[in-house]
Amino acid sequence: MSDAAAFSYSPLLPTGDDLTEYRLVSDEGVDVVKGPGGRQFLTVDPAVLTALTAEAMHDIAHYLRPAHLTQLRSIIDDPAASPNDRFVALDLLRNANIAAGGVLPMCQDTGTAIVMGKRGRHVLTDGTDEEAIARGVYQAYTRLNLRYSQLAPITMWEERNTGTNLPAQIELYAEDPGGHPDAYKFLFMAKGGGSANKSFLYQETKALLNPTRMMQFLEEKLRLIGTSACPPYHLAVVIGGTSAEHALKTAKLASAKYLDGLPTSGSLTAHGFRDVALEAEVLELTRQFGIGAQFGGRYFCHDVRVVRLPRHGASCPVAIAVSCSADRQAVAKITPSGVWLERLETDPARFLPEVTDAHLDASEVVRVDLNRPMDEIRAELSKYPVKTRLSLTGPLVVARDIAHAKLAERLDAGEPMPSYMRDHAVYYAGPAKTPEGYASGSFGPTTAGRMDSYVARFQAAGGSQVMLAKGNRSAQVTRSCAENGGFYLGSIGGPAARLAQDCIKHVEVLEYAELGMEAIWKIEVEDFPAFIVVDDKGNDFFAEVTKPTLTLQIGKR
């Protein structure tokens, strides 16, 4: 024991002062009472937790942080941004403006509800906090035009949609938040499947911990994220961790800017810290990828957070996570002065530039009439190279995971491919609830890669000749398109509200109505934006930009 260092303590993640701008939600349902020893206790009714949660889930479905909107505007103003970067950024700003009306959520995948709470030791509730918070999630998702995405396992193989978007992921801690024993603080998140699926854990070794190897590793892994989670991203990289699960959780928190107040250097108390110099290097690295804001350019990421954690000498976990263009989170607090929620931007129109499509090379857009026979549509697409921007008008069939599985079962049974899959382009998507007076609820694309295993078989049977979704595809899809004369068109991931309001004119169910948003739909679209990503000659836009070719000059650290 004589050789042991003196005891010292630091929180593992010391987050610093809370600089959030809050708005008062209510001052009802909270009270201060006297306790033993002259202490003051804050009492919180369960109804307060329910109301705060419902309010928070509403806000993050419709509003974004001003800082995020500022970053989108800066892409449009940046002369180094590509036309595609600016086009995506402008569409996302327009989408934010529509979503802020409070009717159409900004993304059709309204996500898994995630709530983290830290309750001070002088805060008293009735002990049903988790249930009260879950009730708030229920109220938001059942009353608003949000989508139910949670599947309950009935058996190991059978699942059913819960019809409420419950369960929520709720984590509650006994901790004086910010050193205040009479405060209850929260982080509310809505995490869609696309960005959640781009959380990665790598078990590395000490050999990774040098500048050259680290940048080589990050270039390889970050390119693999692709665009299916709707960039530009808020990227988080966590190096180290007392456990694999803590590294992953830290990455999620960092992607939500929850850890921005961490120290920027380490010490022997072994707390986590941000490496702001490495953040700048990684951001510059991503700008050289060529992926850009989905279809080529510089803006694969808005920003980067790199957090270094302590580690066991035999382990070096590395966690990577992103927050997507639907950057949905807000913090909140309950104090003796009332119930407070982070003030998000309710007037995103002020970030819109005085710019028209003419400033974004709109003359180069190819207009495609989807009312024509499929062979004519393919012949038209075959004239243009990958990355060509399109404007689609006409009918689309909508089918995603479960619908594809149903169609595969029909092929297994010897049935032909349905005519609607042969005659029309197929859009991988699933809508949120349709508001009264609208043709559609928010209706953006889903991740294309989940349907990759079906493509060769469907195309051989005459279906899926033109596919529309978000993100990159596997090599087997590229081969199938070359062999069968097919195309994969990329849609902008993120602007689901704008697509619903401006582009989708009619929606009807074709088959499997009992599947809800997973049904097979037919929709009519007008001026629906898309890009050629994979063509009938075997060209794939993402094939080049996903290859590691590190040329970045690494600065001396």
Side-chain angles (χ1 to χ4, degrees), residues 529-540:
F531 294 78
I532 300 176
V533 176
V534 176
D535 67 14
D536 57 344
K537 305 168 191 67
N539 298 308
D540 177 2

Side-chain angles (χ1 to χ4, degrees), residues 80-346:
S82 72
N84 286 343
D85 280 337
R86 292 194 291 272
F87 176 69
V88 170
L90 179 59
D91 221 34
L92 292 173
L93 280 175
R94 288 170 170 165
N95 187 71
N97 195 50
I98 293 167
V103 178
L104 293 166
M106 68 183 73
C107 179
Q108 81 287 343
D109 185 347
T110 48
T112 296
I114 301 172
V115 184
M116 182 177 71
K118 297 182 177 180
R119 189 175 78 181
R121 67 186 187 276
H122 289 175
V123 177
L124 302 178
T125 70
D126 70 353
T128 63
D129 299 28
E130 186 171 350
E131 180 181 350
I133 291 168
R135 186 178 296 276
V137 172
Y138 170 85
Q139 289 182 0
Y141 278 82
T142 55
R143 295 175 182 177
L144 301 172
N145 297 309
L146 309 184
R147 195 175 85 185
Y148 308 141
S149 299
Q150 304 307 308
L151 302 177
I154 306 304
T155 69
M156 180 60 73
W157 322 118
E158 181 188 1
E159 298 175 312
R160 294 180 192 170
N161 195 301
T162 63
T164 62
N165 212 56
L166 292 176
Q169 178 182 320
I170 302 170
E171 302 175 6
L172 302 177
Y173 298 86
E175 175 184 327
D176 288 353
H180 298 288
D182 59 350
Y184 202 160
K185 300 193 77 171
F186 300 89
L187 171 65
F188 294 95
M189 302 180 71
K191 199 71 172 173
S195 61
N197 292 344
K198 296 303 178 180
S199 298
F200 297 100
L201 174 70
Y202 302 97
Q203 296 287 12
E204 296 299 314
T205 69
K206 167 68 175 173
L208 186 66
L209 299 180
N210 69 78
T212 299
R213 178 67 191 111
M214 179 62 72
M215 294 299 278
Q216 292 170 339
F217 170 87
L218 290 176
E219 182 184 21
E220 175 188 350
K221 303 306 183 186
L222 297 180
R223 285 178 182 271
L224 295 177
I225 294 174
T227 62
S228 59
C230 307
Y233 298 127
H234 301 282
L235 171 67
V237 178
V238 173
I239 300 157
T242 51
S243 64
E245 61 269 24
H246 188 257
L248 281 167
K249 181 175 180 181
T250 302
K252 178 178 285 187
L253 295 176
S255 72
K257 308 298 181 70
Y258 188 77
L259 302 178
D260 276 11
L262 285 177
T264 55
S265 61
S267 75
L268 277 177
T269 58
H271 57 75
F273 67 89
R274 282 180 60 190
D275 187 330
V276 294
L278 187 54
E279 289 175 358
E281 291 179 15
V282 175
L283 180 61
E284 183 58 31
L285 173 69
T286 65
R287 289 186 171 173
Q288 295 188 19
F289 287 172
I291 299 173
Q294 307 190 27
F295 301 103
R298 288 167 46 83
Y299 282 94
F300 186 64
C301 295
H302 283 303
D303 49 42
V304 177
R305 296 294 182 266
V306 176
V307 177
R308 182 67 158 90
L309 293 179
R311 68 184 184 93
H312 185 284
S315 302
C316 186
V318 177
I320 296 173
V322 297
S323 183
C324 66
S325 58
D327 188 40
R328 294 174 294 194
Q329 56 265 324
V331 295
K333 63 182 180 179
I334 303 173
T335 69
S337 62
V339 182
W340 301 84
L341 181 59
E342 181 176 357
R343 186 183 299 279
L344 301 180
E345 181 57 65
T346 58

Side-chain angles (χ1 to χ4, degrees), residues 23-57:
R23 65 178 180 87
L24 181 65
V25 175
S26 174
D27 58 5
E28 297 181 355
V30 296
D31 197 8
V32 176
V33 298
K34 292 183 178 179
R39 290 180 291 176
Q40 300 287 317
F41 286 82
L42 176 67
T43 63
V44 180
D45 291 342
V48 170
L49 300 176
T50 297
L52 174 60
T53 301
E55 184 85 358
M57 300 313 296

Side-chain angles (χ1 to χ4, degrees), residues 444-461:
T446 197
T447 302
R450 298 203 308 273
M451 270 55 74
D452 282 5
S453 62
Y454 299 101
V455 172
R457 188 178 183 196
F458 281 23
Q459 288 190 336

